[in-house]
Each structure stands twice: as C-alpha cells, then as structure tokens.
Amino acid sequence: MPPETLQLQVRTNILKFLKSFLGIIRILQIVFGAGLWVTISANKYEGSIHFVLFVAVFFWLFTLALFFLTLLDKQDLVPLLGGERWLSTNLAHDVAATVLYLPAIGVMIYKTDRNSYCNLEQYKHYCLYKVYLTATVFACLCCLVYLLSVIYGACRKCRGEQTVI
C-alpha cells in the first residue's frame, strides 16, 4: 500500500473517531478531568480532598490512554483488553469512573459547605469556598460525561457491537 494511501486512511480514521459520539465524550472527559485536578492542585488542599485528586488524576490519565489508543486505532496491541474486548474495557473504565466520581462529588460538596462561611464580603482572609465550588462543578460534569459514556457503551454492548467507533 503506498504511503499516501495509508496516510489518508489514518487521517480518515482519526477524523471519524473525533467526530463520533465517543470521541467527543472522551474529549469532554479529558477537559473536565483536567479542570478538576488543576483547580484542586493549584490551591491549598488537605484531608479528604486527596481522594478527589486521586480519582481525578487517575481517571484523567486512564482516559487519556484510552483516547489515544482508540484515536490511533491501536487497541489490538493491548494484551487481554484489546481487540474484541475493547468495548467491554471502555465500558468497565467508564463504570468505575462514574462510581468513584460519586463519592468525590460528595467530598467536594461537604468541603464547599464547610467553607461557605467565608463567602461574605466582610471576610478578608484566604478562602477556599470558590475553589471548592469550582471543583464541585467540574466533578459533577466529569461524572455526567462518564455516565453518558456508560449509557452509550451499554447500549452498544446490548446490541452486540464489538467496535468502539
């Protein structure tokens, strides 16, 4: 196969994935996940926020890996999880992310509520309320896009489809 034809086929596959529902969802997961962990890590955090940061960074990295493996059509190279199992692998990842983002949201809501006293104009000290509120919104958005991905993947799995795109 000539290099030009191969290059055109690769470009077509990349554009096809980026325009697909799963491609758009994966991009949103990466953006919202990065927004969450950057918001938290750029500010002072302690205690249970470490769990939220773990969930955000872990699933951000894992989603990034799944995104690029699917984008480059290299899922067959992943032992035990690739090939015909790739849709199930993506579904398991999305279910785990959704389940772990739920307690992360709970932690962020609790921390936001605990710091709501400093949201007054008269309060002059450093306050993490707006940081925690922003992180809570990002965590909710992350959970929502992972849930959409679970529903989409489960529907495709029930229909008997094997490919991700």
Side-chain angles (χ1 to χ4, degrees), residues 51-68:
F51 171 74
V52 178
L53 195 58
F54 166 75
V55 169
V57 172
F58 178 78
F59 283 107
W60 183 77
L61 289 172
F62 203 176
T63 302
L64 209 56
L66 290 176
F67 175 77
F68 281 114

Side-chain angles (χ1 to χ4, degrees), residues 66 68-79 81-84 86-87 90 162-165:
L66 290 176
F68 281 114
L69 283 170
T70 307
L71 179 70
L72 300 173
D73 203 25
K74 298 296 182 188
Q75 58 266 26
D76 294 333
L77 300 177
V78 181
L81 301 175
E84 293 179 2
W86 192 244
L87 183 60
N90 278 270
Q162 295 295 321
T163 60
V164 175
I165 300 175

Side-chain angles (χ1 to χ4, degrees), residues 22 31 35 40 64 73 81-83 92 96 101 105 113 118 120 132 140 150:
L22 186 63
V31 169
I40 293 173
L64 209 56
D73 203 25
L81 301 175
Y101 264 109
I105 291 169
D113 186 50
C118 65
L120 303 171
Y132 289 160
C140 289
V150 166

Side-chain angles (χ1 to χ4, degrees), residues 14-25 152 164-165:
I14 288 174
L15 289 175
K16 181 180 174 186
F17 175 67
L18 290 176
K19 291 178 181 178
S20 71
F21 181 77
L22 186 63
I24 293 167
I25 287 292
Y152 177 72
V164 175
I165 300 175

Side-chain angles (χ1 to χ4, degrees), residues 113-156:
D113 186 50
R114 294 272 313 220
N115 285 283
S116 63
Y117 66 89
C118 65
N119 196 27
L120 303 171
E121 288 184 30
Q122 296 84 10
Y123 194 80
K124 301 297 180 197
H125 300 287
Y126 183 69
C127 177
L128 290 173
Y129 175 77
K130 291 180 182 175
V131 172
Y132 289 160
L133 185 61
T134 304
T136 303
V137 170
F138 275 124
C140 289
L141 290 172
C142 281
C143 190
L144 178 66
V145 292
Y146 278 110
L147 181 62
L148 286 173
S149 186
V150 166
I151 293 168
Y152 177 72
C155 288
R156 295 194 64 191

